[in-house]
Amino acid sequence: MIYSIARKEFVSTLRDRRFLVLSALVLALLLVATLVGRRSYRTLQQERALAQATVNDQFHHQPARHPHRVAHYGSFAFRPKAGLSLLDSGVDSFTGTAVYLEAHQQNSVNFSQAQQSGSLLRFGEMTVAFVLQLLVPLLIIFLCFGAFSEERETGTLKLLLSQGITLRQVAWGKIRGYSQAVALVVVPALAVAAALLFTGAEFATGPDLLARLVLFVVGYAVYFFLFVVGSVVVSAWQADSRTALVTLLGLWMLGCIILPKATANLGATLYPTTTKAQMDAEVHEEAQKGINGHDPQDQRTAALKASLLKKYGVDSEEKLPVSVGGIVMGESEAYSSRVYQQHFAALNATYERQNAISLWAGLLNPYQAIRPLSMGLAGADFAHYVHFQQAAETYRYQLVQRLNSLQAGMGYGDKERRLDAATWQSIPTFTYQPPTLAWALSRLLLPVVALLLWAAGLSWLGLRLIGKTSIT
């Protein structure tokens, strides 16, 4: 009987012109968003790959120089686009794409799309995730708001129940039928996206990307199931179809528009971040407490020089087998890097505390559970951004210390000498290895649990409530 009801709802939905128009519109938006996302991905990925190759080539082909000149010349690290970011760009547009790597200083990631675009970007991007998170639920609401109320208004609900079927069975039949109709709209677009992902030469395909795509689809399937069940439950509890539609639209606006904005503002209010100018001033003040590699009169430099003379058993700097300047630069870099790491870690911790409020809100609002899950699986959330930031800093520190070590090995009088140009070609350039799915999932447990709790709780409680509704 449930199968018959599901088939009846599915066929009736396909005959409904309102559904045909809305579903055609949503499907068209999904396909356009997929193609636009692929084009954007291809353009940005090619630009960043070309920029990274250019700066790597420039670094390797420097003339004969002193190592510390090379350390100040520095390099750039460009963040490659994650494969699934064509479906969900997450925070990529606001977090920057490149970081300048230089001696004595850890720079933040800059040159974001938001910095280079107009204010329209802040109203949101037309991505596949945007359509799936906001517009498909609207389609479901318009599809399901009359599931029970219309049956009650036309008197067909009593006829159904007179066949010996229960209200819960009717509800499951309708949920199944509506789910099939929604799948008819969403599956083609996701199939096109998968085809583009695994046939495009510019995408680094592999089992990790495939697993991320599968979980991405499963996550949205659960999300849509919640809206179908919720809409059917509301329809069963409201007296007429108009009230059911208004109630569902109000819940959509509360969950998808108002609550996300409110929790974001609450996080920013409870955990305010320091400004860049304030952070720079604090870092500069603390860096003064360490060895200043560019100040030969610094007392700590003099103490380090004395310890080197004692270590090597000589009485003058000229007799040392190492360059005092190179050793001092290494010590200075180690200290300033620790200062920068502490401040960047504190800043990231503040952002994470702000984000945690929205994450926990996923237990109350399914939209705030699917959003971080979608961004995390797409490799475009804040955690993936921090992973790149730390990888770039690790490379910067190792590069500068390697150059300081080269300077130290030049011995006394190094300032008057240069290392051969071939030296720079042996230094490895920056390559970024994105984190695995297992790494990402360990940071997405809360949204996963929230979605599953919503699915189990709404199915159990909602169907129990439907069993107690009036049929008149």
Side-chain angles (χ1 to χ4, degrees):
M1 195 63 182
I2 292 178
Y3 173 77
S4 299
I5 294 174
R7 182 171 177 77
K8 176 260 178 185
E9 293 296 340
F10 181 65
V11 173
S12 299
T13 300
L14 295 184
R15 291 173 178 169
D16 189 337
R17 288 187 178 180
R18 294 172 300 173
F19 171 75
L20 292 178
V21 172
L22 289 174
S23 60
L25 181 62
V26 170
L27 181 58
L29 287 174
L30 278 173
L31 294 175
V32 168
T34 303
L35 295 174
V36 170
R38 183 178 190 260
R39 184 179 180 81
S40 173
Y41 174 93
R42 174 182 286 179
T43 302
L44 293 175
Q45 186 71 340
Q46 288 176 348
E47 287 178 353
R48 294 178 193 182
L50 178 62
Q52 189 70 66
T54 301
V55 297
N56 289 347
D57 184 68
Q58 291 172 343
F59 184 86
H60 275 161
H61 291 88
Q62 294 180 76
R65 278 177 171 167
H66 188 276
H68 199 63
R69 285 283 306 275
V70 177
H72 276 290
Y73 177 79
S75 184
F76 279 90
F78 291 87
R79 184 184 176 192
K81 291 282 287 179
L84 280 186
S85 62
L86 83 87
L87 301 179
D88 190 340
S89 59
V91 298
D92 280 1
S93 301
F94 303 92
T95 51
T97 58
V99 56
Y100 179 45
L101 311 173
E102 60 176 330
H104 311 315
Q105 188 164 328
Q106 179 182 351
N107 296 306
S108 56
V109 186
N110 289 312
F111 308 114
S112 68
Q113 286 178 270
Q115 288 174 319
Q116 304 170 61
S117 305
S119 57
L120 283 177
L121 186 63
R122 300 185 184 281
F123 287 93
E125 297 175 89
M126 178 56 74
T127 63
V128 173
F130 174 83
V131 179
L132 294 178
Q133 291 168 9
L134 293 176
L135 301 187
V136 173
L138 273 180
L139 173 68
I140 294 172
I141 287 172
F142 283 111
L143 178 66
C144 305
F145 75 92
F148 269 91
S149 54
E150 284 183 356
E151 298 271 12
R152 193 183 292 119
E153 289 164 358
T154 57
T156 53
L157 184 59
K158 288 182 178 178
L159 291 177
L160 269 176
L161 298 178
S162 67
Q163 306 299 313
I165 191 170
T166 66
L167 278 171
R168 289 191 192 185
Q169 290 174 314
V170 173
W172 276 119
K174 290 179 177 293
I175 290 169
R176 182 172 172 174
Y178 291 137
S179 298
Q180 291 172 347
V182 173
L184 200 63
V185 178
V186 177
V187 169
L190 292 178
V192 170
L196 293 175
L197 268 175
F198 292 100
T199 57
E202 67 275 25
F203 294 99
T205 56
D208 190 89
L209 183 66
L210 177 61
R212 283 175 182 261
L213 181 61
V214 169
L215 291 179
F216 187 87
V217 173
V218 171
Y220 276 102
V222 174
Y223 181 63
F224 299 148
F225 174 75
L226 289 174
F227 272 91
V228 172
V229 175
S231 299
V232 170
V233 171
V234 170
S235 176
W237 269 83
Q238 294 300 327
D240 55 74
S241 300
R242 180 177 297 178
T243 308
L245 179 60
V246 171
T247 303
L248 287 168
L249 290 177
L251 290 174
W252 176 86
M253 186 171 292
L254 178 67
C256 299
I257 307 293
I258 298 175
L259 277 179
K261 184 65 176 173
T263 51
N265 288 341
L266 179 63
T269 302
L270 292 178
Y271 305 107
T273 56
T274 57
T275 63
K276 187 176 186 305
Q278 184 181 354
M279 180 175 162
D280 288 344
E282 291 174 355
V283 169
H284 180 73
E285 181 181 352
E286 288 190 36
Q288 295 302 311
K289 299 175 184 176
I291 291 180
N292 185 348
H294 288 287
D295 182 7
Q297 305 302 321
D298 185 78
Q299 292 184 353
R300 288 156 297 196
T301 302
L304 179 60
K305 178 181 173 182
S307 68
L308 287 173
L309 294 175
K310 183 178 179 181
K311 175 182 177 182
Y312 288 99
V314 295
D315 56 4
S316 67
E317 185 177 343
E318 291 82 349
K319 297 178 182 176
L320 283 172
V322 296
S323 162
V324 173
I327 301 293
V328 170
M329 288 297 175
E331 292 292 328
S332 172
E333 193 64 43
Y335 181 82
S336 63
S337 292
R338 285 198 297 273
V339 173
Y340 272 102
Q341 285 285 4
Q342 290 170 359
H343 281 267
F344 271 95
L347 183 63
N348 288 337
T350 302
Y351 286 132
E352 286 170 359
R353 282 194 287 271
Q354 292 178 356
N355 293 336
I357 293 179
S358 293
L359 279 176
W360 282 102
L363 294 170
L364 303 174
N365 179 15
Y367 173 77
Q368 288 178 275
I370 190 63
R371 196 160 180 261
L373 181 62
S374 175
M375 289 193 295
L377 292 173
D381 62 350
F382 182 70
H384 282 80
Y385 160 74
V386 172
H387 186 274
F388 168 77
Q389 184 187 53
Q390 292 175 343
E393 168 55 18
T394 300
Y395 172 79
R396 183 202 71 84
Y397 181 73
Q398 292 174 347
L399 171 66
V400 174
Q401 289 297 53
R402 182 168 183 161
L403 293 170
N404 288 333
S405 177
L406 287 174
Q407 180 185 352
M410 293 168 72
Y412 179 75
D414 65 283
K415 293 181 180 177
E416 307 302 325
R417 298 200 297 272
R418 305 285 182 270
L419 291 182
D420 188 78
T423 306
W424 322 129
Q425 296 178 12
S426 64
I427 296 179
T429 52
F430 177 75
T431 54
Y432 180 60
Q433 183 62 41
T436 63
L437 174 61
W439 180 92
L441 283 178
S442 66
R443 289 154 178 78
L444 296 171
L445 289 178
L446 183 56
V448 169
V449 170
L451 268 185
L452 294 178
L453 285 177
W454 265 102
L458 191 59
S459 300
W460 179 77
L461 182 62
L463 272 295
R464 283 179 66 88
L465 289 175
I466 285 178
K468 298 178 180 177
T469 55
S470 169
I471 61 173
T472 58

